[in-house]
Structures are given as C-alpha cells and as structure tokens.
Amino acid sequence: MEKLKTAVLGASGYTGAEAVRLIMGHPNLDLVALTAHRHAGKAYAEVYPHLAHQGLPDLQNWQDVKWDEVDAVFACLPHGASEDTIAEIAQKSIKIIDLSADFRLKDAQIYEKTYGRKHTSPELLAGAVYGLTEYARDNLKTASLVACPGCYPTASLLAVLPALKHINTDNIIIDAKSGVSGAGRKESTALIYPETAEGAHAYAVGNHRHGPEIDEKLSAATGQNITVSFTPHLIPMNRGMIATVNVELNDGVLVDDLRTVYEARYKDEAFVHVEAEGIVPHTRHIRASNQCRIGIFADRNPSRAVIISVIDNLTKGSSGQAVQNLNGMMGWDETLGLNLVPVFP
Amino acid sequence: MEKLKTAVLGASGYTGAEAVRLIMGHPNLDLVALTAHRHAGKAYAEVYPHLAHQGLPDLQNWQDVKWDEVDAVFACLPHGASEDTIAEIAQKSIKIIDLSADFRLKDAQIYEKTYGRKHTSPELLAGAVYGLTEYARDNLKTASLVACPGCYPTASLLAVLPALKHINTDNIIIDAKSGVSGAGRKESTALIYPETAEGAHAYAVGNHRHGPEIDEKLSAATGQNITVSFTPHLIPMNRGMIATVNVELNDGVLVDDLRTVYEARYKDEAFVHVEAEGIVPHTRHIRASNQCRIGIFADRNPSRAVIISVIDNLTKGSSGQAVQNLNGMMGWDETLGLNLVPVFP
Amino acid sequence: MEKLKTAVLGASGYTGAEAVRLIMGHPNLDLVALTAHRHAGKAYAEVYPHLAHQGLPDLQNWQDVKWDEVDAVFACLPHGASEDTIAEIAQKSIKIIDLSADFRLKDAQIYEKTYGRKHTSPELLAGAVYGLTEYARDNLKTASLVACPGCYPTASLLAVLPALKHINTDNIIIDAKSGVSGAGRKESTALIYPETAEGAHAYAVGNHRHGPEIDEKLSAATGQNITVSFTPHLIPMNRGMIATVNVELNDGVLVDDLRTVYEARYKDEAFVHVEAEGIVPHTRHIRASNQCRIGIFADRNPSRAVIISVIDNLTKGSSGQAVQNLNGMMGWDETLGLNLVPVFP
Amino acid sequence: MEKLKTAVLGASGYTGAEAVRLIMGHPNLDLVALTAHRHAGKAYAEVYPHLAHQGLPDLQNWQDVKWDEVDAVFACLPHGASEDTIAEIAQKSIKIIDLSADFRLKDAQIYEKTYGRKHTSPELLAGAVYGLTEYARDNLKTASLVACPGCYPTASLLAVLPALKHINTDNIIIDAKSGVSGAGRKESTALIYPETAEGAHAYAVGNHRHGPEIDEKLSAATGQNITVSFTPHLIPMNRGMIATVNVELNDGVLVDDLRTVYEARYKDEAFVHVEAEGIVPHTRHIRASNQCRIGIFADRNPSRAVIISVIDNLTKGSSGQAVQNLNGMMGWDETLGLNLVPVFP
C-alpha cells in the first residue's frame, strides 16, 4: 500500500511535535511537510532537538507546501490562524484534522463570545465533525474536516457522557488539573519553571474557554441546556490531565449501577478503560499513550458519586486523538499507530 | 522574660521538623528536648541534615525527657501513639499541642470508626480544644490540651465556615490537592520520586480520614448534620495544599455578597487573607509561611460559587498553626514567631 | 516467522518494566513469562498499573516458568540474585541477557571487592560478553550470555572510548548525574519525593560500584591501567543521565580533531549521535529512546576538552541496550523494536 | 536605634525579591523604596504575589526615589544597567551593594571581553570591594560600593580557596549545577517548565561569564595565572547550586590534610560549614538559608580529591551574601537578619 502523505501545520507547538512523533510511528503515514510561520527555513531539530537525527523535512511556510502532494493535514495552529488557513486548504481534496478550537463549537455565536472573534467560515463549520472519536465514528467515515476536542473536553466528556441519564445534569462539578504542556510552548514568564514548579493553582476560574465546549456537547447529547461547573488547575508535570467529576445520582441509582453503565459503554473500546472497583487512575500511568482511564467511586455523600478520568493531554487530549480520527476517516483500524505503551516512570 | 521551655515529640517526622524550625525562630521559646523512638540517641542532624550546625539537642526516648523542666510540648506523633503518650504527660502541668488526629474528633465513636481503634482517654478528649485558631481563641486561653486540625480540614474549614449561612450545606464539594510531604516521611515505595513526580492522582476517594473531621466541625457550627463531598489528590510538590470548594448559593445570594462576608470575617486576621476579585491564590506564594489565602469566584453556573483556599500543609496546616495555638494559650501576640515571609521561588 | 519467546526475570523493578515495554513494541519478540519473587501470583498491573489492559501474563516465581518454551531471558534481578538464577537457566539453551552487575566485571576479584560477595560462576563469567553493543558486535553473534553494562558505564564509555589515544588517560574526570529511577524501585525513605525533589547531591563519592567497571573496560581497550575520577549525582528527574567528562588533550590535539575522531567512529551508528559544534545534548531530548547523544566542547583551559554524553538510564542505559544486544545475538537488524522517538516534553 | 533605610533597585527579579524577603526579616533594616523600570507604578504584589499583604511600598522608577532618605541600596539590576544607575547614585553618601556583574571584575578589559561592553566607571570599579564576605571583611568596613560575587563564583571560591597551596592549580575541574532561578525571571521559551523540568543539560560550556571571575579571584589569591575548567549545568529545581570540584593534590598531601585545612579556615564561620567525613551536602538541606556546606572526599584516583560545596543561589549566592556584606559595612554582627533555618522539605 502506498502511504498517506501527511503534513503538520504549526509544527512548532507541542501538539505539532506530538503529531510528528505519532506520524513517525504510524505504518500507513508518511510525513511530507512541516510548517511554522516564524521558523520557516529552519531544520526542525533547531526547534525540537528531540526530533533530531530522524531525517525530517525542514520547516516551511504553509503557503510553500506542495499541496497537490498532500493527502491529509494535521492543523496544530492557534485558533483564528487555523480557521483562515484551513479555509484555503479545504478547497483541495485533503483530509483535514484540526487541533485548534476553530471548528469545535457548532454555535458560531458562542464561538465569537468565547474566542473574541467572528467565525468567518460558517459553511466549513457546518460540515465539520466534532472528533471525540468514541462518539463520532459514523460521522468520521465521510468527514473531510474533523475538529479535535480540547484536552479538558476530552477528559470531561469521556467521564460524563455515559452518566447523563443517571445523574442530575444541573449539578455536574468538574475539577480538572492539567500538566504545563497544556499551556503550549509560549514565551511567557508565567510559565517558567520557578513560576510553575513546586506549587499549584487554579486559573480561568469560571471562564475557561473549554467550558462552553463541554456544555455544548453535553447539551447536544441530552437535548437539555447543560451548564457544568468547571475549574481547571495547573500542576507541575509536563503531561497529564485529570478530570475529577462530582455528580448527583438520580433517585435509586447506585454507584455500582453507574459502573455497570460505564463498563457496558466502554468495554469494546481500545483506548478507554474503566478501572475495577477501588483502582484510582494516575496520569503517570497513561503518559505518552492514547489511553483514557476512568475510575468510578462512591462519594462520602451517598447520593453522589465521583468519576475520575485521566488522559495525556498531548496524546488522547490532542494529537493521539487526531490520529485516531484520521484512522476513522480512512476506514482503518482505529488503533493503527496508536498502540503506545505508556512510558513510566 | 524567661523563655518557655518546649519539647517536640516525634521529631523525626516532617511536622516535627517544621515545629523545630518554627521554635528556633520564636522569640519566646526555647527548645529543650527532641524525641523519636526509633532514632533515640542519634544527633538530630543524622535524621534531618538541614538542621545540622544549630546546636540542637540529640534525639531521645520520650520517657527520658526531664518533664519537670518542660513547659510545653508539640506532639507530632502518629495517631494512637499520640494518645497514649499524651495521657501520661497530661498529668504534669504542661501545655500540650497535639498535631496528631487523636483529639480532633469530639465524637469518640466516629474516631473509632475512622481510625480503627477505640479512644482510651475520653476525659482528655472532653477537655481538648480543637485548635483552628481563628475560631478557637476564647477556648485556647484556658486550654491545656489543644488538638491541631488536620491539613485538609484547616484549608477546608477556613474556606467554608464563613459561607455556611449563605449556601446549601447539602451540596458542598471539596476537591483538594496536597503536596507529598503531607504523606509523611515514610519508608514507602508508593512515595518514591518516580511514583509521585510528573503525575497526579486522587486517593482515598470517598473515605479519607479528614472527611469526618470536616463534617463534625461544620455540623457543630450549624447544628445541622453536614456531609461534605471531599476528594483529595496527591500532586508533585513538597509543600502546599489547595482546597477548591464548589458551593451552591442560597437564593438571592450573589458572589459579591459572599466576598463581603469573607472580607468582614477575616479582615482583622493576621494569617488569613481574602484576595481581591480576580486574584487566584497559588500554593507557591504562601510556601513556608503561616498564611492562608482565599479566593472567591463566580462559577460558570450562576447559582454556584467557587471558593479556593491555599495553605502550606506543614505550616498553617500543621506546625505553624500549632505555634499559633501556643501563642493563644499563653496569651501572647498570636503572630509571635510566625511572621514568616513566604519563600519563593 | 515465528516470534522469539522471551521472559523477563525480576519484572517488578524499573528495568524489568522497561524491558516489558520494549518487548511489547518489538516485531520479533513475544513475552511469555514475567517473574517476581515477592509478587508471584499477582497480576502484573497490580505492580505496574501503567501496563494494565495489555493482556500480559501474571507474575510467577522463576522456578515455575516453563523454561522449555522460552528462547531468551532478560534478567533484571539484583546482583547476587542474578548470578545464582542464571547459573541454573544457563544449562538450557536459552539466550540470556543479564542486566545485573554479576557478569560485567571480568575480574572476579574486583567483583568480590566491589560487590562484597564471591563470584560463584567463574566459568559462566569467562564466557559472558560485555554488551556495550557498539563495541561488542562480533562477540554478540556467538554469545549465549550477555552482561549489559551499567548505566553510568554506558554513558561514560561511549563518551570516552574514542578519545583514548588522544588524551592523558591519567586525568579523566567524569562528573555524572542520574535521574532517580536509577536508584531502583525501592522501599526507601531516602528516595521519597520530599528527599529527592527540588535539590541535588552527589553520592557514593569515590566509591561508586560503576567506577571499577569503567576502569576495567578502559584498561582493556588500552592495555594500560586506568583509574578514572568518577562522581555521580542524583538529580530530580525520573529518567536521564549525563556524563560530563573533562579530559586533558595530548600535545597537538585540538578539539576539532577530537570531534573528527568521534564523528568517524559513530557516523554509522543508529543510536549514538555526535552533535554538531555548539549543540549541547539534553537528557530530556532522548527520553524514553535508545539514543546516546554526545557533545564535544572546548574547555576554558586550552589543553583540555569537555565531552558530554546523555542517555536514558532505563533505555540505552539498561533495557534498550539489552534489546539491542539480543538483536545482535540473533543476527537481526540492531534497531528492531528500538526506533523509539523520544518523548518530549 | 533608628533603622537603616534601604532601597532595592531592580526589585522585579528573583534576587530583588529575595533581598526584600531578607530585609523584611532584618532587625536593623527598613525597606523604603522598590524600583523596577517596566513595572513602575504597580503594587509590588502584582509582580510578586508571594509578597502581598505585607505593606510594602509600590514599585517606582529609580529616578523617582527620594535618595536623600535612603541609607543603603541593594542593586539587583542587569549588568550594564547596573553600572549606569550606580554611577549616579554613588554621588550621594549611600552604601551600595551591587548584585550585578558590573563591579566584580577588577580588570576592565576582561569585563569588556566577557560582557561585550566597555566599562564606563573605572574610578568606581577601582574602589569597589569584591564581597565574598568570608574573604573581604577588612575591606568591607570602609567600603561604599560592594560587588557581590556571582552565584557560581561564590560556590566555587569557597570550595577552592583554602586548597590553593595544596593542589595543582593548573588542574582544577569545576562541574557546577544550578537551579532554574539562577537564570532569572525571564520571558523565555527555553525556561518554561516543559523545557527545564525532568531533564538536565550543560550550558555555556567553556564560555560561561562566571569563569573569568573565578579565574581572577583565584589568580589574585595566588599571584599565579589560574584558568579553571568550569562547566555549568541547569537542573530542575528552583533554588540551589552545587560545585563539584575535582583537584589534583600536591605530592604528599592527603585528603585528611585537606579536611584539616578547611576545618581550620572555616571553623569560626557562621555560614560556611565543613561537613564531617562521609557526609555529602545536599542543596535541599540549605534551601532558603545563607549557608554554604562543604564536603571533602577521596577521589578514586589517590592523587586527587573531590570538594563539593552547596549553596542556595538566591541566598548565599546572591541576596543573602549581599545582606551579609551590608552587615560587614555597618560593623554589625555579620549574622544579623541571616539566621535563616533551612526550609526542608
């Protein structure tokens, strides 16, 4: 079989580098182009030394890519930038997996309110598939543009979706914790080691951009208007994300019932694992893999339960899920290139 | 003035070492004895090299301490061990500040259920003052035995107590995160660096021992039976603790009202600071100090609010509060020896 | 082709777990048995949760392994334990790759002096091949027992061997730094997070067990009696190792000459990369890969040079090199199963 | 006694914040002004939240300080900026402790070569005292301008100076490791958590700016021309620095002799401690204190020895030594305000 020729747009960010890592290990993918506006012309190893000695293409401007020779694109651009670039590329018959926020929200008004800019490609938005893979398979098969969920929505939705019929959807409390790579590779004093190591803090309390995304997808799944409580925290680790979800069980629902529901929903999933009773998932145990692990626990309050999901924000929370989506778009085995054994310690 | 002669029992644990650090910087305290069962006879610096070159007494068995020459004791023993030792020492006229869990719970049955052993000193328990200093001042003045709150209860109670009249007390969700020193200085594979660094996880979900303590104190404050949701996490940092509390506001209560209530309650406190709107407290900004900082935020759900408190688990969450309590017992300025500027970075 | 059936002895240590990770990704290897004395009977995921959900065999006692059905063994046992076990297994026609220290030193007297026990299998020792792969290929082809070098010797020898003819071998100063996984998965207070994070220290100064190993291999390469200066340090990271080697150049030798020598020696190596002038290798850039990267620098003192090598102590410094050695023993492409893209960040 | 009125110039850097912390705990010092060019007009807590709630003055431009009301200045400015500012302030009768590099090197040509700019205040330079306090006391008493040594020179010189008569000064190998705060509070992608955590690397190999400073001071102490080998590394910790010095002993000198020399030199020092045989100093054990601890060890090579010193780069390596120098300038007890118990863990 000839391999699919892929390009990574925005290869200078962490999700771009993770996409490159995964493409390199994928049996059906070839990497033919890497773009990065500010670094065009440089060897990729100048930007990411860990990817030196691998024979990778140099960085270039996306306009200079020979798009006729590209079959699929992983777009790892900042929001806004992504939309404009994709609007151009979308005119060619290229599969596009967008890792930005630009095509995640179906409601363009919420997009504008959340991201502070008007969405200018409503027709593209209409056709974009929201690629939470485990819930998007049918649509992926015919999709030409897939919007990969944000990392927090991935961890949160996988943790909450199976429960929706069994809980009070007005009382979903998500307390989330992310590793620092989630903030991106930014020139920012707030992210330097002394400001982020050896301590923890919440941020964007009450107004994180991933909140509306979680709301929209939960609302779509239920037909109700759901507003979750969502408080993200930054903690000192490179990779990893926890969503600790506290829910109020409907009358008569027991925690064991909830576990049964989750086990049924995810038993055939390659990447989502419901842990046995009493097993608490750690982020470090799924590091660098495409796994999501979910633990279900009795709360101290007998009418409530705690659902905990962990993912690697750069893999299942971003580039891993992107590859999983491409596998789905191509009709391939969804695990191709993604049988990544977690790296521990 | 002659200094008060103090001893630290269980000086081989982290709270013991922190008590020593604070005593050394306290103008009214002399350190006359250090005990540690397993290490009796050793120089303290063998156990804690950071306290070398300070002229500290050697470690000894607590039975060998000249108790006639001791005015006050910081008992940093494991629960169970603490109760028995204190029962003996309590017969002398020594001020006792107990940092274990043995005298925190007023209800001996809950103690037994929580700690798996029968409480054998009910008469001592009856007289013990629960030393959440900001709420215990009147009782401290006449106390001879003070039980210092656990670290999670300290962070949680300071965050929740002022709100009780303004929130639904059936729906208090506490998501807490602790640094690794909170687990103590234990010979434990689960605590070695590769098992605790670069990752995060919840633990004791639904059954952490500090849950009943929080319940009991909130219930006592309201006369209601309160059961909080409480999920602790271990995150890779030495010191520090966050309690992120999600609460449901009573009808008509606004977040600004809540902030007003907190500001009124804590405006004269030396160690508890309510942050201005929009300021998120970080654990690293109160490191090694006796401060508690509290941020109050609108939740995404307009009927809810988020209250975030941070403390250093070894200082305000343990030995710092212990010294604060001794200051209160002695009728001294409560800040004596505790004007610790946070150490950052 | 039928896959080679492999077993991992001592699968409860970090090198064992890393061997399992690498075997799982190797196209020619099947994993048929995992042993761990203390944990026999447990699911492997109980000991290493990151390897859950992979269908791995349970842990068993090594005596219970069906050795007739095993083709190759990775022995990840502590020294001493390894020798005795291997002496038994060696009687079957099984390829043995030993990751312990038991067969590294050719001189049994130095072994005894270094490890405090008499070597009891001198005949096995005589036949064992020291598996610094890049320098052992010819011998690997016919070897039945390969002793994998220690992590420090791997980093140090790869950094020093090419230089030997060009430097004063009486003045080789190796300052090495290791991540904490190098200390093993031990129940040890000295290794818990608060004792190892946020700080650094030397250890075993002047008497680390890897010193004699480095000496013996450098001496064998030159016919001289070489004693290196070697000071290891523990630094707060899970994986990674640096050897910073300061050498005195022979008269007339320039740093550029040295680089030319290294480039010539390693230009065809798949895993050892000599960095271009000015590029400093980081451990984080080879994390979880089998790479060794070497930088060569002018010292401030014009008669000296600095050679810096980095490896992942668990991969090239241990289980990765072990797989590389097995590949060599089997006559396979040496990179089989080892094209591991570094995991960053 | 009236307190000395002090100002901190460049209070937005880490050394500035550490100076503030130390001034706040100093019985004889008042803090009257804080300057920071870019942040003038802001509350200090906006820049350093850990110093909130302390009643500190707002940040201002240094030109706006009422210099008539200032007795002493800690100048924590970048090099170059420091020189120009100090040239102006020096005209008033103010004690100046400069923490920049601008007055450390006596040789203006080496300064120019090292820092890439011409020194423009040669007359100030001539009068500046190099404030390695333990070796500068006599000069401090009459000094009006003290240049505080760099962090690496502090650790290195305290480790090497006592040995000079007993070692081959042509063969001094300093391998140094610093915490990340040593790089300053910079907006730099290279310093963000994912680029600095969980890994280690050398930097500025062969050309770090602190090399010439070490050379000059060792040369001045001996009358010889000394060029040390000096390789700094960045390791993942906030504070702390190790200098591991490998030296060649003169004929007949034993390691025990060396220890005797060090013990004699430092036995009366409040902050420099020579550890007993076998004790390895850790950076974490002197964290946030003004201590330097030195261990002396036999090397594997009997003609060599290893001297290891640890300091906190921000305290003894910077602002702590600055306060120690001011104490010396004022004729006060040198330990005033510096009896800082190390913060561990």
Side-chain angles (χ1 to χ4, degrees), chain C residues 62-201:
Chain C
W62 73 266
Q63 292 90 342
D64 298 335
V65 173
K66 294 181 186 166
W67 289 109
D68 296 347
E69 303 174 7
V70 172
D71 302 312
V73 164
F74 293 95
C76 303
L77 298 162
H79 67 84
S82 198
E83 189 193 335
D84 297 343
T85 311
I86 283 173
E88 284 222 26
I89 295 172
Q91 298 167 14
K92 312 166 199 293
S93 82
I94 295 177
K95 305 272 184 197
I96 301 173
I97 302 100
D98 186 29
L99 288 87
S100 86
D102 282 353
F103 297 95
R104 291 173 186 161
L105 290 166
K106 280 292 165 200
D107 186 327
Q109 287 188 301
I110 293 180
Y111 176 85
E112 185 174 348
K113 195 174 157 195
T114 306
Y115 290 94
R117 63 184 290 279
K118 209 175 186 61
H119 205 288
T120 55
S121 317
E123 70 299 341
L124 274 177
L125 185 55
V129 169
Y130 185 74
L132 184 69
T133 324
E134 284 74 11
Y135 292 86
R137 284 183 184 118
D138 287 347
N139 295 328
L140 286 174
K141 289 175 191 160
T142 55
S144 53
L145 170 57
V146 172
C148 288
C151 46
Y152 285 122
T154 298
S156 301
L157 294 171
L158 290 173
V160 175
L161 279 169
L164 286 173
K165 288 188 193 153
H166 311 282
I167 61 174
N168 177 356
T169 55
D170 289 336
N171 198 339
I172 300 174
I173 317 293
I174 304 173
D175 190 286
K177 302 96 186 166
S178 173
V180 186
S181 66
R185 201 188 211 195
K186 277 192 212 122
E187 202 172 54
S188 160
T189 304
L191 296 177
I192 68 174
Y193 184 93
E195 309 288 326
T196 46
E198 277 298 305
H201 61 284

Side-chain angles (χ1 to χ4, degrees), chain C residues 14 20 39 89 117 147 184 210 213 215 240-241 253 256 280 293 317:
Chain C
Y14 289 135
V20 170
H39 298 287
I89 295 172
R117 63 184 290 279
H210 286 176
E213 184 180 336
D215 285 354
M241 174 167 285
V253 176
D256 284 346
V280 183
R293 295 190 184 177

